[in-house]
């Protein structure tokens, strides 16, 4: 039996080959991120997972094989700490984003003037290497804030490049613009350092920030981490609607994270989902039965109130007391509408999964209608 393990980097693949005695898969006589292992994979699992749980498995024919891990996420609202440099972390991320964008633009201008000019590659590793050479001069601070900003710019450049080549679906993406405090939402992502969920299930610890009190119970995540059945990959601290949230990405073992395997009530029935403008969705099955899911009445009322509040805000003088009150009310309505819309989507999708054996969803761009 032969199994191929695909790691994220060549360095990880080399490490797996050394631990397991496997062979690196070559392409054009160059090593790749894949390692070929003979025999049952379970005898190598501990060594592979000691390097990284973010790997993929393939059989000899190249077909994907379940790796035993699945990626998932969770979001918790936390309390604003009285004394913590959170806003400075958000500003540091924007600073690094703008610094990297200036560097890219300078290289592009220099390349136009001199064709032999060697510019920095648009990769996270290359831009971070150049940042490390200049960070002591421009901004000596936490590395996670700056790494998050540079990573966001690398992704924005990749989206623009793929969109320009026609390789990216959706509407056309323009060249990245500078991030400002007014337009760019405050956020910072942590990938290393002291990230943990405390045993009290009410405290989340982040690097350089410390403990943050969660307004929700974190048992769903904490119990898996305590049993070593999950790996915490990264945490993103963000500000939305004037409140503070922590979003974490986890790798959890499949046997613990798999949903209940309940057979649908109509396993032989196919359903088509039509996204609407006047209604939420319209479901028509192969038996010619039609169900219309309308937007909930509280959501419609909230959207109407949201429209009125937006008009009120436009009539207020910026930075006045009336302006701040209208802005606070607007943020509350945004949060309320988003939560109700998310709950509506969850209920409809749960109904589709529990009822029909096959579901087809319309891919029409509603926003362009």
């Amino acid at each position: 039996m032969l199994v191929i393990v695909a790691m994220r980097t060549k360095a990880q693949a080399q490490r797996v080959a050394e631990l397991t005695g496997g062979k690196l898969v070559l392409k054009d006589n160059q090593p790749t991120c894949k390692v070929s292992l003979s025999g049952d994979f379970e005898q190598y699992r501990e060594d592979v997972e000691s390097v990284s749980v973010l790997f993929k498995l393939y059989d000899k024919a190249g077909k994907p094989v379940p790796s035993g891990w699945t990626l998932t996420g969770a979001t918790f609202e936390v309390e604003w700490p009285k004394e913590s440099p959170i806003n400075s972390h958000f500003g540091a991320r924007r600073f690094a984003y703008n610094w990297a964008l200036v560097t890219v633009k300078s290289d592009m201008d220099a390349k136009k003037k001199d064709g032999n000019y060697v510019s920095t590659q648009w990769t996270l590793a290359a831009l971070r290497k150049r940042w490390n050479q200049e960070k002591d001069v421009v901004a000596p601070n936490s590395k996670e804030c700056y790494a998050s900003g540079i990573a966001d710019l690398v992704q924005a450049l990749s989206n623009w490049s793929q969109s320009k080549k026609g390789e990216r679906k959706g509407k056309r993406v323009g060249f990245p613009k500078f991030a400002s405090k007014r337009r760019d939402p405050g956020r910072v992502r942590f990938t290393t350092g002291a990230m943990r969920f405390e045993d009290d299930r009410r405290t989340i610890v982040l690097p350089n920030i410390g403990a943050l009190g969660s307004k929700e119970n974190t048992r769903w995540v904490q119990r898996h981490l305590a049993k070593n059945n999950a790996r915490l990959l990264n945490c993103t601290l963000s500000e939305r609607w004037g409140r503070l949230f922590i979003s974490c990405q986890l790798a959890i073992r499949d046997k613990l994270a798999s949903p209940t395997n309940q057979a649908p009530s109509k396993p032989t029935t196919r359903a088509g989902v039509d996204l609407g403008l006047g209604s939420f969705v319209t479901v028509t099955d192969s038996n010619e039965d039609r169900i219309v899911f309308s937007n909930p009445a509280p959501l419609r009322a909230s959207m109407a109130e949201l429209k009125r509040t937006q008009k009120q805000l436009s009539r207020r003088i910026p930075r006045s007391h009336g302006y701040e009150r209208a802005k606070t009310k607007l943020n509350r309505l945004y949060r309320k509408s988003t939560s109700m819309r998310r709950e509506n989507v969850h209920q409809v999708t749960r109904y589709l999964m529990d009822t029909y054996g096959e579901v087809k969803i319309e891919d029409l761009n509603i926003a362009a209608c």
Side-chain angles (χ1 to χ4, degrees):
M1 181 178 178
L2 182 67
V3 63
I4 297 176
V5 182
M7 306 301 295
R8 299 182 67 189
T9 63
K10 294 181 181 180
Q12 290 181 351
Q14 179 64 37
R15 180 59 177 164
V16 169
E18 294 174 356
L19 293 175
T20 60
K23 297 181 180 180
L24 288 172
V25 178
L26 303 179
K27 183 177 181 180
D28 298 332
N29 295 326
Q30 297 295 328
T32 63
C33 301
K34 298 181 179 180
V35 182
S36 177
L37 302 176
S38 58
D40 187 11
F41 173 74
E42 294 302 324
Q43 61 181 326
Y44 306 108
R45 178 177 290 277
E46 184 176 353
D47 293 331
V48 174
E49 292 178 353
S50 66
V51 178
S52 176
V53 297
L54 300 179
F55 62 89
K56 296 181 180 180
L57 294 180
Y58 301 91
D59 58 14
K60 187 176 181 180
K63 296 182 179 179
V65 178
S67 65
W69 293 85
T70 184
L71 293 179
T72 186
T75 302
F76 302 96
E77 183 179 353
V78 296
E79 298 177 354
W80 275 95
K82 295 181 179 179
E83 296 181 1
S84 182
I86 290 181
N87 288 326
S88 66
H89 282 69
F90 295 159
R93 190 203 66 85
R94 287 192 299 269
F95 181 90
Y97 181 96
N98 292 333
W99 173 89
L101 184 55
V102 169
T103 302
V104 169
K105 286 189 172 184
S106 300
D107 288 348
M108 294 174 66
D109 294 338
K111 191 71 173 179
K112 292 180 180 179
K113 297 179 181 179
D114 184 5
N116 297 325
Y117 178 81
V118 180
S119 58
T120 305
Q121 294 183 350
W122 293 357
T123 62
L124 178 59
L127 286 172
R128 284 195 65 176
K129 182 178 180 180
R130 185 164 176 178
W131 166 262
N132 290 332
Q133 296 172 353
E134 303 180 14
K135 67 179 182 180
D136 294 334
V137 178
V138 294
N141 206 330
S142 173
K143 68 180 182 67
E144 286 296 315
C145 306
Y146 305 122
S148 177
I150 296 174
D152 289 345
L153 178 67
V154 171
Q155 184 61 51
L157 290 170
S158 176
N159 293 339
W160 169 73
S161 178
Q162 293 179 1
S163 178
K164 187 177 180 180
K165 296 177 182 177
E167 301 174 356
R168 189 176 190 275
K169 295 182 179 180
K171 63 180 182 180
R172 187 173 180 178
V173 177
F175 192 80
K177 298 180 180 180
F178 288 103
S180 66
K181 183 178 180 180
R182 182 174 61 86
R183 295 194 310 266
D184 188 69
R187 64 189 184 278
V188 60
R189 182 171 58 255
F190 299 93
T191 57
T192 59
M195 298 181 296
R196 64 179 183 272
F197 286 72
E198 297 291 1
D199 295 337
D200 61 359
R201 298 181 175 179
R202 287 290 180 178
T203 306
I204 305 175
V205 179
L206 295 180
N208 301 317
I209 293 179
L212 297 174
S214 175
K215 295 184 178 181
E216 308 167 71
N217 197 311
T218 63
R219 62 181 179 274
W220 183 86
V221 174
Q222 189 275 334
R223 63 185 180 185
H224 289 309
L225 294 175
K227 295 179 181 179
N228 200 26
N229 291 323
R231 304 287 178 85
L232 186 59
L233 303 179
N234 59 69
C235 290
T236 301
L237 182 66
S238 60
E239 179 186 2
R240 286 178 286 173
W241 315 301
R243 298 195 177 189
L244 205 59
F245 294 85
I246 293 180
S247 301
C248 61
Q249 187 179 30
L250 302 157
I252 302 182
R253 296 187 186 275
D254 285 337
K255 61 181 180 180
L256 296 175
S258 59
T260 305
N261 296 324
Q262 181 180 359
S265 58
K266 300 179 180 179
T268 59
T269 304
R270 294 180 298 173
V273 179
D274 182 21
L275 304 179
L277 295 175
S279 60
F280 181 55
V281 295
T282 302
V283 180
T284 305
D285 59 22
S286 55
N287 298 328
E288 297 185 358
D289 294 332
R290 184 182 179 185
I291 303 176
V292 178
F293 292 89
S294 59
N295 289 314
L299 177 59
R300 295 196 299 269
S302 178
M303 297 301 294
E305 187 178 1
L306 183 65
K307 185 177 180 180
R308 291 193 298 268
T309 306
Q310 287 174 333
K311 291 182 178 180
Q312 292 175 3
L313 182 65
S314 65
R315 300 189 186 103
R316 299 291 189 267
I317 300 175
R319 293 182 294 277
S320 65
H321 291 293
Y323 180 87
E324 295 299 330
R325 286 196 297 268
K327 187 176 180 181
T328 301
K329 182 179 179 181
L330 190 63
N331 288 334
R332 177 179 59 82
L333 291 173
Y334 276 135
R335 183 176 67 253
K336 181 180 179 181
S337 301
T338 301
S339 299
M340 287 191 293
R341 188 179 292 110
R342 186 179 299 162
E343 177 65 18
N344 192 34
V345 171
H346 172 72
Q347 292 181 1
V348 172
T349 53
R350 186 72 265 175
Y351 170 82
L352 295 174
M353 292 294 296
D354 293 341
T355 306
Y356 304 107
E358 183 179 356
V359 178
K360 298 292 185 180
I361 302 177
E362 177 192 26
D363 59 355
L364 179 65
N365 184 10
I366 298 297
C369 295

